[in-house]
Amino acid sequence: MKRNIASFISGLSIGTLGGLIGLGGAEFRLPVLISFFRFSALDAVILNKAASLVVVASALPFRAQSVPVSVFSDHWTVILNLLAGSVLGAWIGASFAVKLHSKTFFRIISAMLVIIAFILLFSHSMRAESASFFAPGLVQTVLGVAAGFVIGVFASLLGVAGGELLIPTLILLFGLDIKTAGSLSLAVSLPTMLAGFARYSRDQSFAVIKRNKVFIIYMAAGSVAGTFIGGRLLGVIPEYILLPALSAILFISSYKIWKHK
């Protein structure tokens, strides 16, 4: 029971951290699963993805209260463009993950956390006036598929929703404002995560969810509550303090995972 309570508190704290910057917190949940709860790399990624699915699914109705449904219908081509690459990328990423040696997987996770840390530092401050560098057409479509593929692989290997990559892509490649990008990222994330989840379910390692179903329910519940709380506190802590602090957490987590045995 103590472990389940710790799982809920961890999820609550992590969800709040993520909610403060408009993310689900999976980037911070993964290091906790590995370093604190001592799961193997693959087990941690699968459990992280299970919790992330719950968080993303619950975020959609929350987001719908402040963003009209027409946003999705108005930009359905953008959603399909990214999904054309991300679903395949998620499947391939999961197929790759289940074959990795544990130490190699830890190193990959460590490197990806560093990438996310830099993204938090340098791209999260983009604003609505950002404009696409590419006019709508074949080049933009091809780049959208390629970006989606990379994001899908990334999301599967970390068990995250991929919002930290999707939002900058939607702003820079398609010229969307940050509020619209945040909503569309959820519409792309959910099918992408389901594709990766479906691939993981074909591997025997997927049994980790059955063995830890109560644990992950507590963590997912805490994460949803934390994300909601963090969303209400959004903007309370200045970004020039919050983002470097969260990036520092990821850098430290990356180092600990790199050294993990």
Side-chain angles (χ1 to χ4, degrees):
M1 187 62 185
K2 288 182 179 180
R3 190 167 183 263
N4 293 332
I5 292 174
S7 173
F8 179 84
I9 294 173
S10 299
L12 184 67
S13 304
I14 292 161
T16 302
L17 279 178
L20 283 169
I21 53 174
L23 297 174
E27 305 79 8
F28 307 102
R29 191 187 306 116
L30 183 60
V32 170
L33 287 168
I34 292 172
S35 300
F36 184 76
F37 291 106
R38 312 299 293 180
F39 285 103
S40 69
L42 182 57
D43 286 353
V45 166
I46 293 174
L47 290 174
N48 195 32
K49 185 166 283 292
S52 297
L53 269 172
V54 176
V55 173
V56 170
S58 64
L60 279 170
F62 289 156
R63 194 88 181 185
Q65 295 177 11
S66 58
V67 179
V69 178
S70 60
V71 166
F72 301 103
S73 59
D74 291 344
H75 298 92
W76 66 271
T77 55
V78 174
I79 295 173
L80 287 181
N81 190 177
L82 289 170
L83 282 175
S86 67
V87 170
L88 178 61
W91 187 274
I92 290 176
S95 299
F96 180 60
V98 298
K99 299 175 183 177
L100 283 172
H101 184 275
S102 184
K103 185 175 182 179
T104 302
F105 206 171
F106 280 134
R107 296 291 173 87
I108 291 174
I109 289 172
S110 177
M112 287 184 164
L113 289 178
V114 170
I115 292 172
I116 292 177
F118 278 113
I119 289 172
L120 283 181
L121 279 175
F122 299 114
S123 72
H124 203 271
S125 60
M126 290 182 294
R127 291 292 182 262
E129 57 268 19
S130 297
S132 172
F133 293 113
F134 305 93
L138 181 60
V139 173
Q140 188 185 63
T141 300
V142 171
L143 288 174
V145 173
F149 180 83
V150 172
I151 292 167
V153 172
F154 204 97
S156 267
L157 288 174
L158 287 183
V160 301
E164 62 286 320
L165 296 175
L166 280 168
I167 292 174
T169 299
L170 286 162
I171 292 172
L172 295 176
L173 183 57
F174 297 99
L176 301 178
D177 63 85
I178 196 164
K179 188 175 182 180
T180 300
S183 297
L184 295 189
S185 72
L186 292 176
V188 176
S189 291
L190 193 55
T192 301
M193 294 179 70
L194 287 171
F197 208 63
R199 175 60 187 86
Y200 278 124
S201 69
R202 298 177 61 182
D203 186 79
Q204 60 182 4
S205 299
F206 195 74
V208 68
I209 292 181
K210 185 177 181 180
R211 295 194 302 270
N212 295 276
K213 60 182 178 182
V214 177
F215 171 89
I216 202 62
I217 287 172
Y218 272 86
M219 180 163 276
S223 296
V224 171
T227 303
F228 180 79
I229 293 170
R232 304 286 77 77
L233 298 175
L234 189 64
V236 171
I237 303 176
E239 282 190 356
Y240 69 84
I241 295 175
L242 181 62
L243 294 181
L246 294 180
S247 295
I249 292 173
L250 289 177
F251 281 126
I252 294 169
S253 298
S254 172
Y255 176 77
K256 292 182 70 174
I257 291 174
W258 185 274
K259 296 294 184 179
H260 192 86
K261 296 181 180 179

